[in-house]
Amino acid sequence: MGRRRQGEPENGRAEVSEQVVNESRTDRLRIRAAWMYFVEQMTQNEIADVLGVGRVTIVRMLAEARARNEVKITIESELLEIVRLERALERTFGLQQALVAPLTDPLADPIPAIAAKTGMFLSDAMKSGMRVGVGWGVTLFHTLPFISAKSLTDFSVISLLGGVGVARRTNPAEFAWRFAQIFQGDGYLMPTPAVVDSVETKIALVERCGLQEIFEMADALDAVLLSVGGIASATTFSRGGFLKEADREALLARGAVGDLLFHFFDRNGDLVDHPVNSHVMSVDVDRLRKAPIRILTSGGVEKTEALLGAMNLIAPTILITDEESARRMLAHDSRV
């Protein structure tokens, strides 16, 4: 097991204007409150409970929305459709909160928008005393420039997946280390391959190579930060270089639609019958589901089925995606 105490954020990291970010969050919260009050006919107390603020704050936000002419017969704001999608996702999938990033072009790569939305959320959500388990992937790596650096006390970051032997910037260890660095916290890494050759090897690494502490820490996480991978294309699947095309084809044949920490699952969120699910060096799904805050951030055409399956597999409390992915999820889910 590797452990590092992180220092100052590295030079050159992109900065986000705190004033602009705060104004954006305030506008978004105000429009959500107006939507709930005037469209969904919720009481001010109910809205306060959902948004986690006091009733007086709700009264002030509603008054400001009216003063800005955002509320007439309907709510007039460019955020209206985004709020509608967020509320629909929350109701449909039982989420505590959905965050939807707008796209200027429906065909645009959604990763930058999702990463920015995720980074801003994490800037507020991470607190001193937290123990946070983190996954990996392109989306998570791109959140790093959008997270506001701050010093948190007693803050721990646990990498939930092996793979440190692969020299890529989306390596699980690299993301965990840099995430811990932003908050000047402790980083706990899993110095193993992402996938091993047998169950026996996995057991030996856990029991004899000091990894048991990582798995024990995963039983008491305050939050997990995860992304899902698609499996429809070889390019997407092989982004980490850990598995071969033959594995992808075999997983597809068994109904796999994506993976979460290399746990491959089907459209219903059930793990598929394939050796990789028992050979992967990552924290198991049951442990992940114990975390009270489960943040899932992903999007893209190739991940629609994976996102739908993940709703059952991990039951996220927070979903962060883009508006086109949100529409596809709502259109393809049988509950809608």
Side-chain angles (χ1 to χ4, degrees):
M1 177 186 67
R3 176 182 177 181
R4 300 183 186 178
R5 179 70 191 180
Q6 309 307 335
E8 297 296 327
E10 66 180 287
N11 293 332
R13 191 182 65 82
E15 298 292 341
V16 179
S17 168
E18 184 176 354
Q19 180 179 359
V20 172
V21 170
N22 287 340
E23 288 177 354
S24 175
R25 291 173 184 145
T26 300
D27 290 344
R28 182 178 175 278
L29 199 65
R30 185 180 64 252
I31 297 302
R32 281 172 63 86
W35 174 276
M36 294 178 190
Y37 187 76
F38 291 101
V39 178
E40 298 190 29
Q41 300 292 299
M42 294 173 64
T43 68
Q44 293 172 355
N45 286 333
E46 289 171 338
I47 298 169
D49 289 340
V50 172
L51 298 184
V53 299
R55 181 180 176 276
V56 173
T57 300
I58 299 300
V59 172
R60 186 179 68 249
M61 287 193 294
L62 294 176
E64 186 176 352
R66 285 190 288 264
R68 288 169 173 256
N69 291 321
E70 292 169 333
V71 177
K72 296 179 181 178
I73 297 174
T74 59
I75 302 174
E76 293 187 353
S77 170
E78 62 182 6
L79 298 177
L80 176 61
E81 174 61 11
I82 297 301
V83 173
R84 186 194 70 79
L85 288 170
E86 289 173 342
R87 295 295 290 156
L89 288 171
E90 290 165 359
R91 287 193 301 267
T92 302
F93 299 108
L95 302 164
Q96 290 181 10
Q97 186 176 12
L99 297 170
V100 174
L103 297 176
T104 56
D105 182 350
L107 301 179
D109 179 4
I111 289 179
I114 297 171
K117 180 73 73 173
T118 304
M120 294 176 189
F121 171 80
L122 294 172
S123 298
D124 278 345
M126 298 298 99
K127 308 293 183 183
S128 293
M130 290 185 71
R131 180 180 289 184
V132 183
V134 300
W136 78 307
V138 174
T139 301
L140 289 181
F141 186 84
H142 279 80
T143 66
L144 295 170
F146 297 98
I147 304 174
S148 298
K150 57 184 176 181
S151 179
L152 299 178
T153 59
D154 191 26
F155 184 81
S156 301
V157 177
I158 298 93
S159 179
L160 301 172
L161 176 69
V164 297
V166 182
R168 291 179 172 86
R169 65 177 185 170
T170 52
N171 189 292
E174 175 69 9
F175 174 75
W177 175 76
R178 292 186 60 179
F179 188 74
Q181 181 186 43
I182 288 174
F183 299 109
Q184 299 184 32
D186 293 324
Y188 295 84
L189 309 180
M190 195 180 297
T192 70
V195 180
V196 295
D197 60 352
S198 67
V199 175
E200 290 74 19
T201 299
K202 179 176 180 177
I203 293 173
L205 286 171
V206 172
E207 294 182 350
R208 304 173 191 170
C209 299
L211 297 181
Q212 188 62 42
E213 183 182 356
I214 288 285
F215 288 90
E216 290 175 353
M217 291 177 71
D219 281 325
L221 294 172
D222 297 295
V224 292
L225 173 60
L226 304 164
S227 183
V228 294
I231 196 174
S233 69
T235 301
T236 300
F237 179 76
S238 62
R239 68 194 185 283
F242 295 109
L243 298 176
K244 299 178 181 179
E245 173 62 13
D247 296 310
R248 187 187 75 88
E249 293 177 355
L251 287 161
L252 274 173
R254 289 166 171 78
V257 296
D259 80 283
L260 185 141
L261 299 179
F262 276 103
H263 298 294
F264 288 88
F265 56 89
D266 61 21
R267 175 65 162 67
N268 297 321
D270 297 321
L271 297 180
V272 300
D273 182 16
H274 190 277
V276 69
N277 280 335
S278 56
H279 295 175
V280 62
M281 293 300 301
S282 68
V283 173
D284 60 82
V285 174
D286 288 340
R287 280 190 166 101
L288 299 177
R289 287 175 65 107
K290 292 179 181 179
I293 302 173
R294 299 180 297 280
I295 307 162
L296 180 65
T297 174
S298 281
V301 175
E302 78 284 356
K303 293 186 180 180
T304 302
E305 293 292 300
L307 281 167
L308 290 170
M311 294 299 101
N312 292 325
L313 177 70
I314 193 64
T317 59
I318 310 292
L319 172 65
I320 308 174
T321 191
D322 65 280
E323 60 179 307
E324 296 302 321
S325 296
R327 291 189 183 99
R328 284 190 297 269
M329 289 178 69
L330 293 167
H332 288 86
D333 187 76
S334 60
R335 288 166 284 194
V336 179

